[in-house]
Amino acid sequence: MAEQDDHPAPEVERDEDHQPLNRQLISRIMYALETGDREMLWAEMEPLHAADIADLLEQSNAYDRRRLIALYGQEFDGDILSELDESIREEVIGLLTPEVLAEAVRDLDSDDVVDLVEDLEDQQQEAILSALEDSDRTLVQQSLTYPEYSAGRLMQREVVMAPEHWTVGDAIDFMRNAEELPEQFYHIVLVDPRLHPVGNVTLGRIMASRREVALKDIVEETFHTIPVTRYEGDVAYMFNQYHLISAPVVDEEGRLVGVITIDDAMAVLDEEHEEDIMRLAGVGEGGLNDSVIETSKQRVPWLAVNLGTAILASAVIALFEAQIAQLVALAVLMPIVASMGGNAGTQSLTVAVRALATKDLTGSNVWRVLMRETTVGLINGLIFALVMGVVGMLWFGGPELGYVIAAAMVINLVVAGLAGAAIPVIMDRMGIDPALGSGTFVTTVTDVVGFFAFLGLATVFLL
Amino acid sequence: MAEQDDHPAPEVERDEDHQPLNRQLISRIMYALETGDREMLWAEMEPLHAADIADLLEQSNAYDRRRLIALYGQEFDGDILSELDESIREEVIGLLTPEVLAEAVRDLDSDDVVDLVEDLEDQQQEAILSALEDSDRTLVQQSLTYPEYSAGRLMQREVVMAPEHWTVGDAIDFMRNAEELPEQFYHIVLVDPRLHPVGNVTLGRIMASRREVALKDIVEETFHTIPVTRYEGDVAYMFNQYHLISAPVVDEEGRLVGVITIDDAMAVLDEEHEEDIMRLAGVGEGGLNDSVIETSKQRVPWLAVNLGTAILASAVIALFEAQIAQLVALAVLMPIVASMGGNAGTQSLTVAVRALATKDLTGSNVWRVLMRETTVGLINGLIFALVMGVVGMLWFGGPELGYVIAAAMVINLVVAGLAGAAIPVIMDRMGIDPALGSGTFVTTVTDVVGFFAFLGLATVFLL
């Protein structure tokens, strides 16, 4: 049960030194770059996966990136573009010669091309689309008609399907004779005559069965189809919840239009997480590769909101100026109550935001969760009231200040628990992402309540 | 480029109402429970996936959970236990009759049994192990000898392998005649005579090839083996980075001992996210199903750390008691500087923690990132210095207070950017999870610097 505390166990091995993109390799690559030694560069980069080359480009500064791409030349592969962070994709595409770019995109699957072009400016988009073969271009353009962040943008159009009456032997013969099969596929989708998917057969089951077995007798137990307009985050959730490997995508009439595989769903899950964690911290998109100006722009809005709420909290303090002038110890102690409330509120908030994201917090348990967070706030409030009461007493040499800070602590931690859990739930019900700015709202509540409770109680009982 | 801002696009469909576990179903299930109607309960729960039943149990309170399990009886499936959150797994296992438990675990794959028993107390662990067949029990006990959170715990022992000299026809005949194949598999692992994996062949390539083709001629280009002691988080990263579907696991001698599939890697990625986000907020394990006392215990440690740092910040304020008594406006304005610093620091911190987790922040770009965060701090500091300077001036009717708060703002936001990025990097170098408590350290720095800069400058220039 104490799993995560002692994590990772000491015997477990971390792979810091086994990274393909390690310091030694990077310095050899930089050496090749400095000396303009193209052969050496190619040799050093040969064993790297496209994802590692993309990381290398991301971690380089703009100057090295330009030199690297120029020297690497025609070896530049389309997969590198797919793996690149969006923040520098446009820059890198702009650095490629038209020939290299055309060559690079031609081998990509349709879903990767869609992912590549959807955020590009018109001119670059056109350059890539015109490099494709006609049939591929049509597929990509069709996918682009689906809404952003939908299953339609995520799916690949290359599907292996079979009529529902086929046998294992039919399927094997079909695949042996197929001119082109998708690079990765794990299921054959069974369809009825109107192209509605009726089941999934794993390749493993096909291989393990005799040729005369009917495909519909070996379909998988769990079968889900995905509407083409479904939000990609829900698709990722579904894959994770039901351990899907691939799932067919259907249009409004229920006809098979594509297939989504788990590796794409995993990438979406990772992006969703990035978004949650960044939004909770009030950081817009926040890539490491954005420019200083870009980054500053992304962060200013939430800092501005925070300034507004901080001024609000100050206004509360201003109500008690006369009391503070009378007893300066109040000014010394008041940030403690606010800080503890902010911390406790953030704890409740994070648990609630995460539970909403994983659909563990629903209509059926929301009251129990609110109740629980409030009760935890009460218990922790009492614990720290005791501690802080004693500290206040010792520090300022009298029991009264201790009583007041203890009472304010209890009030603020109860409010923190309630607000921390309730604010994300309310935002979610209103259709707003609960990760977005709820931290600021919760700390506003705990600042205002903290200062008001402490200074107010002090005014009543001390002065 | 502005992707995440307008996300999700309005046309994209959310699946709130398509959840299998919706309110209507839950109320029918509760009705069956109230009336003790076992047939109805079975009928209503029949279409639910084990993961949904686990969610239902998690969202119920302890009383309903007990009744539900009693009425559901022998229908209880082993997969439900695998899907259950660890926080209530022990409780649920304790509610099952020995017969139901034995029946439930017997169908699970070895990796699922390992995941199930590794955190149980000895008595429950024994009950489950003794329900297994001898050969399965041996596999599970072997896996349990690998360290926690290692690839060895994650892998399944059931592997489909083939000698490297086999042809497609050999492989197909072997699979057709195999008595038992794993429920899910996507590759055949080619091994040399010493059982060292030498390549992966996807089932799709096998199906698409003629019987006489040699397996080693159709191996996948990307091939990674995973040491059995490798940390599971690194395994998940590897799957996501290289779009792996399954990968062989090898022991110290390089011999094949198991295989990890992407669905397990995806679950680990999700757990790692949970851990990151919870640790950043100072919430221990923090499940929704932990008791109030359990939850309070998890949160008290970080609240205690926060209290310590808040007292430290108060001690800084105490240094300036005389000045505050002279000019109470200082007490009113001082939380603003601290709050802005805390917010800006959290922004830098979150970007750094996330970049470390995704291995985007490495030795090769750390100086550039520190420089960037500090510069962003400077720019945002200047922006809000201007705003707050004007506010301070208008609010308190004189320019001097405005200058002081503006200068303190610049200082604190620069420090926030630097500390926010540097603290996680330093923790990471020291081998400590950078998500763990770095938030508290950063806000300690910004509180202390914020109060000291503002009150110190005020002392020098105003009084």
Side-chain angles (χ1 to χ4, degrees):
Chain A
M1 286 302 295
E3 265 211 274
Q4 300 193 313
D5 285 336
D6 41 279
H7 174 159
E11 313 92 320
V12 174
E13 181 199 344
R14 303 300 305 250
D15 74 346
E16 310 302 341
D17 303 322
H18 304 91
Q19 291 290 338
L21 198 63
N22 53 39
R23 274 161 188 260
Q24 291 77 32
L25 180 61
I26 291 177
S27 44
R28 287 199 304 274
I29 288 173
M30 293 319 286
Y31 178 81
L33 208 56
E34 294 301 335
T35 56
D37 187 340
R38 175 168 280 191
E39 295 300 325
M40 177 179 174
L41 184 72
W42 284 347
E44 293 294 349
M45 286 176 68
E46 210 277 341
L48 288 180
H49 187 279
D52 293 322
I53 298 178
D55 283 350
L56 174 68
L57 290 172
E58 287 165 14
Q59 289 165 25
S60 303
N61 59 39
Y63 173 66
D64 286 341
R65 199 145 56 216
R66 194 168 61 235
R67 293 194 301 163
L68 199 55
I69 288 169
L71 194 62
Y72 195 49
Q74 69 264 35
E75 290 292 297
F76 197 97
D77 195 70
D79 287 325
I80 303 173
L81 287 179
S82 295
E83 302 287 351
L84 266 186
D85 194 81
E86 281 166 29
S87 60
I88 60 165
R89 225 183 238 172
E90 264 180 271
E91 176 198 329
V92 170
I93 291 176
L95 292 172
L96 298 174
T97 64
E99 299 75 42
V100 171
L101 180 62
E103 189 60 44
V105 297
R106 216 166 282 158
D107 287 334
L108 291 175
D109 273 342
S110 62
D111 57 334
D112 291 330
V113 179
V114 170
D115 181 47
L116 199 61
V117 300
E118 61 185 358
D119 304 312
L120 293 180
E121 302 195 1
D122 288 351
Q123 204 189 337
Q124 288 196 331
Q125 201 171 82
E126 206 131 309
I128 288 182
L129 287 176
S130 64
L132 297 175
E133 286 168 30
D134 288 352
S135 59
D136 289 342
R137 183 167 48 244
T138 311
L139 286 182
V140 169
Q141 281 169 333
Q142 274 173 13
S143 289
L144 286 172
T145 63
Y146 298 116
E148 266 194 292
Y149 311 110
S150 69
R153 293 281 183 107
L154 199 61
M155 68 186 182
Q156 61 184 51
R157 306 297 301 262
E158 298 86 355
V159 187
V160 183
M161 54 178 143
E164 50 186 335
H165 59 80
W166 272 17
T167 62
V168 165
D170 295 332
I172 291 181
D173 294 341
F174 165 75
M175 284 187 276
R176 287 236 177 101
N177 297 318
E179 271 197 19
E180 205 176 4
L181 287 172
E183 223 177 294
Q184 298 275 353
F185 71 106
Y186 316 101
H187 290 96
I188 293 184
V189 183
L190 292 191
V191 291
D192 71 12
R194 291 170 308 157
L195 274 186
H196 294 184
V198 294
N200 250 346
V201 188
T202 68
L203 297 185
R205 289 299 294 275
I206 294 180
M207 305 272 283
S209 305
R210 311 205 62 81
R211 284 185 65 91
E212 60 274 16
V213 172
L215 289 180
K216 64 172 179 294
D217 292 338
I218 52 171
V219 293
E220 275 205 299
E221 206 182 317
T222 304
F223 178 62
H224 294 271
T225 59
I226 299 171
V228 72
T229 52
R230 180 63 51 83
Y231 173 55
E232 61 173 17
D234 291 331
V235 173
Y237 171 81
M238 203 170 172
F239 270 82
N240 196 27
Q241 172 87 343
Y242 301 125
H243 310 286
L244 306 179
I245 296 297
S246 74
V249 180
V250 295
D251 65 13
E252 307 85 74
E253 276 88 48
R255 281 181 312 235
L256 182 64
V257 288
V259 66
I260 293 176
T261 50
I262 185 175
D263 54 324
D264 292 321
M266 190 176 186
V268 170
L269 189 79
D270 199 43
E271 280 164 28
E272 290 272 304
H273 173 69
E274 169 129 1
E275 203 177 278
D276 273 356
I277 209 167
M278 294 298 180
R279 285 185 171 180
L280 272 174
V283 190
E285 301 177 45
L288 269 194
N289 303 298
D290 295 325
S291 69
V292 167
I293 299 298
E294 191 64 39
T295 307
S296 164
K297 265 198 218 157
Q298 290 157 6
R299 296 188 192 172
V300 161
W302 282 111
L303 287 174
V305 172
N306 186 63
L307 181 62
T309 69
I311 290 175
L312 186 66
S314 288
V316 173
I317 300 171
L319 296 176
F320 297 94
E321 273 191 80
Q323 288 78 10
I324 292 172
Q326 230 177 311
L327 184 62
V328 182
L330 297 181
V332 174
L333 289 173
M334 67 186 186
I336 296 179
V337 178
S339 162
M340 292 296 283
N343 226 278
T346 303
Q347 290 179 333
S348 294
L349 165 83
T350 305
V351 170
V353 166
R354 171 73 188 168
L356 285 166
T358 57
K359 310 196 191 210
D360 289 330
L361 177 53
T362 63
S364 70
N365 63 351
V366 62
W367 290 109
R368 197 156 48 84
V369 170
L370 288 181
M371 196 60 212
R372 191 190 75 142
E373 291 299 322
T374 312
T375 315
V376 169
L378 178 64
I379 293 173
N380 290 353
L382 290 170
I383 292 171
F384 288 100
L386 192 68
V387 175
M388 201 51 221
V390 172
V391 170
M393 230 178 277
L394 296 178
W395 195 351
F396 293 94
E400 295 82 5
L401 203 55
Y403 296 149
V404 165
I405 198 166
M409 189 76 89
V410 174
I411 293 171
N412 207 20
L413 263 63
V414 168
V415 170
L418 181 62
I423 288 176
V425 169
I426 293 167
M427 289 176 72
D428 187 58
R429 291 280 162 90
M430 290 167 65
I432 305 168
D433 181 345
L436 196 61
S438 48
T440 308
F441 297 134
V442 171
T443 50
T444 305
V445 171
T446 53
D447 275 357
V448 167
V449 170
F451 290 133
F452 194 84
F454 177 63
L455 296 173
L457 287 170
T459 304
V460 175
F461 293 105
L462 295 185
L463 301 169
Chain B
M1 286 302 296
E3 266 212 276
Q4 301 194 313
D5 284 335
D6 41 278
H7 173 162
E11 314 91 320
V12 174
E13 184 199 342
R14 302 300 306 247
D15 74 345
E16 309 302 341
D17 304 323
H18 303 92
Q19 292 288 339
L21 197 65
N22 54 40
R23 273 160 188 260
Q24 292 76 33
L25 180 61
I26 291 177
S27 45
R28 288 199 304 275
I29 287 173
M30 294 317 288
Y31 179 82
L33 207 57
E34 294 302 335
T35 56
D37 187 340
R38 177 169 281 192
E39 296 298 327
M40 177 178 171
L41 183 71
W42 284 347
E44 293 294 350
M45 285 175 65
E46 210 277 337
L48 288 181
H49 187 278
D52 293 322
I53 298 178
D55 283 349
L56 175 67
L57 291 172
E58 287 165 15
Q59 288 166 24
S60 303
N61 60 40
Y63 173 66
D64 285 342
R65 198 146 55 216
R66 194 166 61 235
R67 294 192 303 164
L68 198 57
I69 288 169
L71 194 64
Y72 195 49
Q74 69 266 35
E75 290 291 298
F76 198 97
D77 196 71
D79 287 325
I80 303 173
L81 288 179
S82 296
E83 302 286 351
L84 267 185
D85 192 83
E86 281 166 28
S87 60
I88 60 166
R89 222 183 239 173
E90 265 180 271
E91 176 198 328
V92 169
I93 290 175
L95 292 172
L96 298 174
T97 63
E99 298 76 40
V100 171
L101 180 62
E103 189 60 44
V105 297
R106 216 165 285 158
D107 289 333
L108 291 175
D109 273 342
S110 62
D111 56 335
D112 291 329
V113 178
V114 169
D115 181 46
L116 199 59
V117 300
E118 61 185 359
D119 304 312
L120 293 179
E121 303 195 0
D122 288 352
Q123 205 187 339
Q124 288 197 332
Q125 200 172 82
E126 205 132 309
I128 288 181
L129 288 178
S130 64
L132 297 176
E133 286 168 31
D134 288 351
S135 59
D136 288 343
R137 183 167 47 245
T138 311
L139 284 183
V140 170
Q141 280 168 334
Q142 274 174 12
S143 289
L144 286 172
T145 62
Y146 297 116
E148 266 194 293
Y149 311 109
S150 68
R153 293 280 182 107
L154 200 62
M155 68 186 181
Q156 60 184 51
R157 307 296 300 260
E158 298 88 355
V159 188
V160 183
M161 53 177 141
E164 51 187 334
H165 59 80
W166 273 16
T167 63
V168 166
D170 294 333
I172 291 181
D173 294 341
F174 165 76
M175 285 187 274
R176 287 238 176 98
N177 297 319
E179 273 197 18
E180 206 177 1
L181 286 172
E183 223 176 292
Q184 298 275 354
F185 72 105
Y186 315 101
H187 290 97
I188 294 183
V189 184
L190 292 193
V191 291
D192 71 12
R194 292 169 309 159
L195 274 185
H196 293 185
V198 294
N200 250 345
V201 188
T202 69
L203 298 185
R205 290 299 295 274
I206 293 180
M207 306 273 281
S209 305
R210 311 206 61 82
R211 283 186 65 92
E212 60 274 16
V213 171
L215 291 179
K216 66 172 178 296
D217 291 339
I218 52 172
V219 293
E220 275 204 299
E221 202 183 319
T222 305
F223 178 63
H224 294 271
T225 59
I226 298 171
V228 72
T229 51
R230 179 64 50 86
Y231 173 56
E232 61 173 17
D234 291 331
V235 173
Y237 170 80
M238 203 169 168
F239 270 81
N240 196 28
Q241 172 87 344
Y242 302 124
H243 310 287
L244 306 179
I245 296 299
S246 74
V249 180
V250 295
D251 65 14
E252 307 85 74
E253 276 87 47
R255 281 181 312 235
L256 182 65
V257 289
V259 66
I260 293 176
T261 51
I262 185 174
D263 54 325
D264 293 320
M266 190 177 187
V268 170
L269 189 78
D270 199 43
E271 281 165 28
E272 292 270 305
H273 289 168
E274 170 129 1
E275 205 178 277
D276 273 355
I277 210 166
M278 294 298 181
R279 284 185 171 180
L280 272 174
V283 189
E285 299 179 46
L288 268 194
N289 303 297
D290 295 325
S291 69
V292 167
I293 299 297
E294 191 63 38
T295 307
S296 164
K297 263 198 220 157
Q298 289 157 7
R299 295 189 193 171
V300 161
W302 281 111
L303 288 174
V305 172
N306 186 62
L307 181 62
T309 68
I311 289 176
L312 186 66
S314 287
V316 172
I317 299 173
L319 296 176
F320 298 94
E321 273 190 79
Q323 288 78 10
I324 293 172
Q326 227 177 313
L327 185 62
V328 182
L330 297 181
V332 174
L333 289 173
M334 68 186 185
I336 296 179
V337 178
S339 161
M340 291 297 283
N343 227 278
T346 304
Q347 291 179 332
S348 294
L349 165 83
T350 305
V351 170
V353 166
R354 171 71 188 168
L356 285 166
T358 56
K359 311 195 190 207
D360 289 331
L361 178 51
T362 63
S364 71
N365 62 352
V366 62
W367 290 110
R368 197 155 48 86
V369 170
L370 288 181
M371 197 57 214
R372 193 190 74 142
E373 291 299 322
T374 312
T375 316
V376 170
L378 177 64
I379 293 174
N380 290 352
L382 290 170
I383 292 171
F384 288 101
L386 191 68
V387 176
M388 201 50 223
V390 173
V391 171
M393 229 178 277
L394 295 177
W395 196 349
F396 293 94
E400 295 81 4
L401 203 55
Y403 295 150
V404 165
I405 198 166
M409 189 76 89
V410 174
I411 292 171
N412 208 19
L413 263 64
V414 168
V415 170
L418 181 62
I423 288 176
V425 169
I426 293 167
M427 290 177 71
D428 187 58
R429 292 279 163 91
M430 290 167 64
I432 305 168
D433 181 345
L436 195 64
S438 48
T440 309
F441 297 132
V442 171
T443 50
T444 305
V445 171
T446 54
D447 275 357
V448 167
V449 170
F451 290 132
F452 194 85
F454 177 61
L455 296 173
L457 287 171
T459 304
V460 175
F461 293 105
L462 295 185
L463 301 168

